[in-house]
Short mmCIF file of all heavy atoms in Angstrom, two decimals:
data_model
loop_
_atom_site.label_atom_id
_atom_site.label_comp_id
_atom_site.label_asym_id
_atom_site.label_seq_id
_atom_site.Cartn_x
_atom_site.Cartn_y
_atom_site.Cartn_z
N ALA A 60 -21.92 -18.72 1.51
CA ALA A 60 -22.90 -19.76 1.88
C ALA A 60 -22.40 -20.56 3.08
O ALA A 60 -23.17 -20.87 3.99
CB ALA A 60 -23.15 -20.67 0.68
N ARG A 61 -21.14 -20.90 3.08
CA ARG A 61 -20.58 -21.63 4.23
C ARG A 61 -20.65 -20.77 5.49
O ARG A 61 -21.05 -21.23 6.55
CB ARG A 61 -19.12 -21.98 3.97
CG ARG A 61 -18.93 -23.14 3.06
CD ARG A 61 -17.46 -23.57 3.02
NE ARG A 61 -17.26 -24.55 1.99
CZ ARG A 61 -16.47 -24.39 0.94
NH1 ARG A 61 -15.76 -23.31 0.80
NH2 ARG A 61 -16.38 -25.34 0.05
N LYS A 62 -20.24 -19.52 5.37
CA LYS A 62 -20.17 -18.62 6.52
C LYS A 62 -21.55 -18.37 7.14
O LYS A 62 -21.69 -18.35 8.36
CB LYS A 62 -19.54 -17.30 6.09
CG LYS A 62 -19.36 -16.28 7.20
CD LYS A 62 -18.61 -15.06 6.67
CE LYS A 62 -18.38 -14.03 7.76
NZ LYS A 62 -17.62 -12.86 7.25
N TYR A 63 -22.56 -18.18 6.29
CA TYR A 63 -23.89 -17.80 6.78
C TYR A 63 -24.92 -18.93 6.70
O TYR A 63 -26.09 -18.70 6.98
CB TYR A 63 -24.38 -16.56 6.03
CG TYR A 63 -23.50 -15.36 6.31
CD1 TYR A 63 -22.62 -14.88 5.35
CD2 TYR A 63 -23.52 -14.74 7.55
CE1 TYR A 63 -21.80 -13.79 5.61
CE2 TYR A 63 -22.70 -13.66 7.82
CZ TYR A 63 -21.84 -13.19 6.85
OH TYR A 63 -21.02 -12.11 7.12
N GLN A 64 -24.49 -20.12 6.31
CA GLN A 64 -25.32 -21.33 6.36
C GLN A 64 -26.53 -21.32 5.44
O GLN A 64 -27.64 -21.68 5.85
CB GLN A 64 -25.75 -21.63 7.80
CG GLN A 64 -24.58 -21.81 8.75
CD GLN A 64 -25.03 -22.34 10.08
OE1 GLN A 64 -25.54 -23.46 10.15
NE2 GLN A 64 -24.87 -21.55 11.14
N PHE A 65 -26.34 -20.89 4.20
CA PHE A 65 -27.41 -20.99 3.22
C PHE A 65 -26.91 -21.75 1.99
O PHE A 65 -25.71 -21.98 1.84
CB PHE A 65 -27.96 -19.61 2.82
CG PHE A 65 -26.93 -18.66 2.24
CD1 PHE A 65 -26.53 -18.73 0.92
CD2 PHE A 65 -26.39 -17.65 3.03
CE1 PHE A 65 -25.61 -17.86 0.39
CE2 PHE A 65 -25.47 -16.76 2.52
CZ PHE A 65 -25.08 -16.87 1.19
N SER A 66 -27.81 -22.12 1.13
CA SER A 66 -27.46 -22.82 -0.10
C SER A 66 -27.01 -21.80 -1.16
O SER A 66 -27.71 -20.81 -1.39
CB SER A 66 -28.66 -23.60 -0.62
OG SER A 66 -28.46 -23.96 -1.98
N PRO A 67 -25.89 -22.06 -1.84
CA PRO A 67 -25.50 -21.18 -2.95
C PRO A 67 -26.59 -21.08 -4.02
O PRO A 67 -26.77 -20.02 -4.63
CB PRO A 67 -24.23 -21.84 -3.50
CG PRO A 67 -23.65 -22.56 -2.32
CD PRO A 67 -24.86 -23.08 -1.57
N ASP A 68 -27.32 -22.18 -4.26
CA ASP A 68 -28.42 -22.12 -5.22
C ASP A 68 -29.52 -21.19 -4.75
O ASP A 68 -30.15 -20.50 -5.57
CB ASP A 68 -28.98 -23.52 -5.48
CG ASP A 68 -28.12 -24.34 -6.44
OD1 ASP A 68 -27.27 -23.75 -7.14
OD2 ASP A 68 -28.31 -25.57 -6.48
N ASP A 69 -29.77 -21.14 -3.45
CA ASP A 69 -30.77 -20.20 -2.92
C ASP A 69 -30.32 -18.76 -3.14
O ASP A 69 -31.13 -17.89 -3.47
CB ASP A 69 -31.04 -20.46 -1.44
CG ASP A 69 -31.84 -21.73 -1.20
OD1 ASP A 69 -32.31 -22.36 -2.17
OD2 ASP A 69 -31.98 -22.10 -0.01
N PHE A 70 -29.03 -18.50 -2.97
CA PHE A 70 -28.53 -17.15 -3.22
C PHE A 70 -28.74 -16.79 -4.68
O PHE A 70 -29.14 -15.66 -5.00
CB PHE A 70 -27.04 -17.01 -2.86
CG PHE A 70 -26.53 -15.62 -3.02
CD1 PHE A 70 -26.73 -14.68 -2.02
CD2 PHE A 70 -25.89 -15.22 -4.18
CE1 PHE A 70 -26.29 -13.37 -2.18
CE2 PHE A 70 -25.44 -13.92 -4.35
CZ PHE A 70 -25.64 -13.00 -3.34
N ALA A 71 -28.51 -17.73 -5.58
CA ALA A 71 -28.75 -17.47 -7.01
C ALA A 71 -30.22 -17.15 -7.27
O ALA A 71 -30.54 -16.24 -8.04
CB ALA A 71 -28.29 -18.66 -7.84
N THR A 72 -31.13 -17.87 -6.60
CA THR A 72 -32.56 -17.61 -6.75
C THR A 72 -32.90 -16.20 -6.29
O THR A 72 -33.65 -15.46 -6.96
CB THR A 72 -33.38 -18.65 -5.97
OG1 THR A 72 -33.11 -19.94 -6.52
CG2 THR A 72 -34.87 -18.36 -6.02
N VAL A 73 -32.35 -15.79 -5.14
CA VAL A 73 -32.58 -14.43 -4.64
C VAL A 73 -32.03 -13.40 -5.62
O VAL A 73 -32.69 -12.39 -5.91
CB VAL A 73 -31.97 -14.27 -3.23
CG1 VAL A 73 -31.97 -12.81 -2.79
CG2 VAL A 73 -32.72 -15.13 -2.22
N ALA A 74 -30.85 -13.65 -6.15
CA ALA A 74 -30.25 -12.71 -7.11
C ALA A 74 -31.09 -12.61 -8.38
O ALA A 74 -31.21 -11.53 -8.96
CB ALA A 74 -28.82 -13.13 -7.44
N LEU A 75 -31.68 -13.71 -8.81
CA LEU A 75 -32.55 -13.67 -9.99
C LEU A 75 -33.77 -12.79 -9.72
O LEU A 75 -34.19 -12.01 -10.57
CB LEU A 75 -32.99 -15.08 -10.39
CG LEU A 75 -31.92 -15.90 -11.10
CD1 LEU A 75 -32.29 -17.38 -11.10
CD2 LEU A 75 -31.72 -15.40 -12.53
N MET A 76 -34.33 -12.91 -8.52
CA MET A 76 -35.50 -12.12 -8.16
C MET A 76 -35.15 -10.64 -8.01
O MET A 76 -35.87 -9.76 -8.48
CB MET A 76 -36.11 -12.64 -6.86
CG MET A 76 -37.33 -11.88 -6.38
SD MET A 76 -38.75 -11.96 -7.49
CE MET A 76 -39.35 -13.59 -7.16
N GLU A 77 -34.01 -10.36 -7.39
CA GLU A 77 -33.67 -8.98 -7.04
C GLU A 77 -32.96 -8.21 -8.15
O GLU A 77 -33.12 -7.00 -8.24
CB GLU A 77 -32.80 -8.96 -5.77
CG GLU A 77 -33.56 -9.36 -4.53
CD GLU A 77 -34.72 -8.43 -4.24
OE1 GLU A 77 -34.49 -7.23 -3.96
OE2 GLU A 77 -35.87 -8.89 -4.31
N SER A 78 -32.14 -8.87 -8.95
CA SER A 78 -31.32 -8.12 -9.90
C SER A 78 -31.22 -8.78 -11.27
O SER A 78 -30.24 -8.58 -11.98
CB SER A 78 -29.91 -7.92 -9.33
OG SER A 78 -29.26 -9.17 -9.16
N ASP A 79 -32.23 -9.57 -11.63
CA ASP A 79 -32.22 -10.26 -12.90
C ASP A 79 -31.01 -11.18 -13.03
O ASP A 79 -30.49 -11.38 -14.11
CB ASP A 79 -32.27 -9.25 -14.06
CG ASP A 79 -32.55 -9.88 -15.41
OD1 ASP A 79 -33.22 -10.93 -15.44
OD2 ASP A 79 -32.07 -9.35 -16.43
N GLY A 80 -30.52 -11.66 -11.90
CA GLY A 80 -29.42 -12.62 -11.92
C GLY A 80 -28.05 -12.00 -11.87
O GLY A 80 -27.29 -12.09 -12.83
N LEU A 81 -27.72 -11.32 -10.78
CA LEU A 81 -26.40 -10.75 -10.53
C LEU A 81 -26.05 -9.59 -11.46
O LEU A 81 -24.91 -9.41 -11.86
CB LEU A 81 -25.30 -11.83 -10.60
CG LEU A 81 -25.40 -12.92 -9.53
CD1 LEU A 81 -24.42 -14.05 -9.81
CD2 LEU A 81 -25.15 -12.34 -8.14
N ASN A 82 -27.04 -8.78 -11.77
CA ASN A 82 -26.79 -7.56 -12.53
C ASN A 82 -26.35 -6.49 -11.53
O ASN A 82 -27.16 -6.01 -10.73
CB ASN A 82 -28.05 -7.10 -13.25
CG ASN A 82 -27.85 -5.81 -14.02
OD1 ASN A 82 -26.78 -5.19 -13.99
ND2 ASN A 82 -28.88 -5.39 -14.73
N PRO A 83 -25.07 -6.09 -11.55
CA PRO A 83 -24.60 -5.14 -10.55
C PRO A 83 -25.22 -3.74 -10.71
O PRO A 83 -25.24 -2.96 -9.77
CB PRO A 83 -23.09 -5.10 -10.78
CG PRO A 83 -22.91 -5.49 -12.21
CD PRO A 83 -24.02 -6.47 -12.50
N ARG A 84 -25.74 -3.45 -11.90
CA ARG A 84 -26.32 -2.13 -12.16
C ARG A 84 -27.84 -2.10 -12.00
O ARG A 84 -28.47 -1.08 -12.27
CB ARG A 84 -25.93 -1.68 -13.58
CG ARG A 84 -24.42 -1.45 -13.71
CD ARG A 84 -23.95 -1.24 -15.14
NE ARG A 84 -24.17 -2.39 -16.01
CZ ARG A 84 -23.43 -3.51 -16.03
NH1 ARG A 84 -22.44 -3.65 -15.19
NH2 ARG A 84 -23.69 -4.49 -16.87
N ALA A 85 -28.42 -3.20 -11.54
CA ALA A 85 -29.87 -3.25 -11.35
C ALA A 85 -30.30 -2.18 -10.36
O ALA A 85 -29.65 -1.96 -9.34
CB ALA A 85 -30.30 -4.62 -10.86
N THR A 86 -31.41 -1.51 -10.68
CA THR A 86 -31.93 -0.48 -9.77
C THR A 86 -33.41 -0.27 -10.01
O THR A 86 -33.91 -0.49 -11.12
CB THR A 86 -31.18 0.86 -9.95
OG1 THR A 86 -31.65 1.79 -8.97
CG2 THR A 86 -31.37 1.43 -11.34
N ASN A 87 -34.10 0.15 -8.96
CA ASN A 87 -35.48 0.59 -9.10
C ASN A 87 -35.57 2.08 -8.78
O ASN A 87 -36.64 2.62 -8.58
CB ASN A 87 -36.43 -0.23 -8.21
CG ASN A 87 -36.17 -0.04 -6.73
OD1 ASN A 87 -35.38 0.84 -6.31
ND2 ASN A 87 -36.81 -0.84 -5.91
N GLY A 88 -34.42 2.73 -8.69
CA GLY A 88 -34.34 4.15 -8.37
C GLY A 88 -34.01 4.41 -6.92
O GLY A 88 -33.36 5.39 -6.58
N ARG A 89 -34.41 3.52 -6.04
CA ARG A 89 -34.15 3.66 -4.60
C ARG A 89 -33.21 2.57 -4.09
O ARG A 89 -32.47 2.77 -3.14
CB ARG A 89 -35.47 3.59 -3.83
CG ARG A 89 -35.31 3.77 -2.33
CD ARG A 89 -36.66 3.81 -1.62
NE ARG A 89 -36.44 3.74 -0.19
CZ ARG A 89 -36.42 2.62 0.51
NH1 ARG A 89 -36.61 1.46 -0.08
NH2 ARG A 89 -36.21 2.65 1.82
N CYS A 90 -33.25 1.41 -4.73
CA CYS A 90 -32.44 0.27 -4.33
C CYS A 90 -31.53 -0.12 -5.50
O CYS A 90 -31.91 0.02 -6.66
CB CYS A 90 -33.33 -0.91 -3.96
SG CYS A 90 -34.55 -0.50 -2.68
N HIS A 91 -30.33 -0.61 -5.16
CA HIS A 91 -29.31 -0.79 -6.19
C HIS A 91 -28.49 -2.05 -5.98
O HIS A 91 -28.23 -2.45 -4.84
CB HIS A 91 -28.35 0.41 -6.17
CG HIS A 91 -29.05 1.72 -6.21
ND1 HIS A 91 -29.40 2.35 -7.38
CD2 HIS A 91 -29.53 2.51 -5.22
CE1 HIS A 91 -30.03 3.48 -7.11
NE2 HIS A 91 -30.13 3.60 -5.80
N GLY A 92 -28.09 -2.66 -7.08
CA GLY A 92 -27.13 -3.76 -7.03
C GLY A 92 -27.74 -5.14 -7.00
O GLY A 92 -28.94 -5.32 -7.17
N ILE A 93 -26.86 -6.12 -6.75
CA ILE A 93 -27.24 -7.53 -6.90
C ILE A 93 -28.27 -8.01 -5.90
O ILE A 93 -29.01 -8.95 -6.18
CB ILE A 93 -26.00 -8.45 -6.91
CG1 ILE A 93 -25.23 -8.36 -5.59
CG2 ILE A 93 -25.12 -8.16 -8.11
CD1 ILE A 93 -24.09 -9.36 -5.46
N ILE A 94 -28.33 -7.39 -4.71
CA ILE A 94 -29.41 -7.75 -3.77
C ILE A 94 -30.27 -6.53 -3.44
O ILE A 94 -31.04 -6.55 -2.49
CB ILE A 94 -28.91 -8.43 -2.49
CG1 ILE A 94 -28.05 -7.50 -1.63
CG2 ILE A 94 -28.20 -9.75 -2.80
CD1 ILE A 94 -27.84 -8.00 -0.20
N GLN A 95 -30.13 -5.47 -4.23
CA GLN A 95 -30.94 -4.26 -4.08
C GLN A 95 -30.76 -3.62 -2.70
O GLN A 95 -31.66 -3.61 -1.86
CB GLN A 95 -32.41 -4.55 -4.37
CG GLN A 95 -32.67 -4.91 -5.82
CD GLN A 95 -32.42 -3.75 -6.78
OE1 GLN A 95 -33.25 -2.88 -6.92
NE2 GLN A 95 -31.24 -3.72 -7.42
N PHE A 96 -29.57 -3.08 -2.47
CA PHE A 96 -29.32 -2.29 -1.27
C PHE A 96 -30.13 -1.01 -1.38
O PHE A 96 -29.95 -0.24 -2.32
CB PHE A 96 -27.83 -1.94 -1.17
CG PHE A 96 -26.94 -3.10 -0.87
CD1 PHE A 96 -26.30 -3.79 -1.89
CD2 PHE A 96 -26.73 -3.51 0.44
CE1 PHE A 96 -25.45 -4.86 -1.60
CE2 PHE A 96 -25.89 -4.57 0.74
CZ PHE A 96 -25.25 -5.25 -0.30
N CYS A 97 -31.01 -0.78 -0.41
CA CYS A 97 -31.91 0.37 -0.47
C CYS A 97 -31.39 1.55 0.33
O CYS A 97 -30.63 1.39 1.27
CB CYS A 97 -33.29 -0.03 0.03
SG CYS A 97 -34.10 -1.24 -1.03
N GLU A 98 -31.85 2.71 -0.07
CA GLU A 98 -31.53 3.95 0.62
C GLU A 98 -32.41 4.07 1.85
O GLU A 98 -33.50 3.51 1.90
CB GLU A 98 -31.79 5.13 -0.34
CG GLU A 98 -31.11 6.41 0.05
CD GLU A 98 -29.59 6.27 0.18
OE1 GLU A 98 -28.91 6.32 -0.82
OE2 GLU A 98 -29.12 6.11 1.33
N GLY A 99 -31.94 4.77 2.85
CA GLY A 99 -32.71 4.98 4.07
C GLY A 99 -31.87 4.67 5.29
O GLY A 99 -30.95 3.85 5.24
N ALA A 100 -32.22 5.31 6.40
CA ALA A 100 -31.42 5.22 7.62
C ALA A 100 -31.30 3.80 8.17
O ALA A 100 -30.30 3.45 8.76
CB ALA A 100 -31.99 6.14 8.69
#
Side-chain angles (χ1 to χ4, degrees):
R61 283 189 189 119
K62 182 175 181 179
Y63 296 106
Q64 302 190 64
F65 58 80
S66 164
D68 281 344
D69 287 353
F70 184 82
T72 298
V73 170
L75 284 164
M76 179 63 76
E77 291 299 295
S78 63
D79 192 29
L81 296 171
N82 178 357
R84 294 170 297 283
T86 185
N87 65 9
R89 182 175 170 268
C90 305
H91 309 272
I93 61 173
I94 66 165
Q95 294 293 280
F96 290 96
C97 294
E98 199 58 81

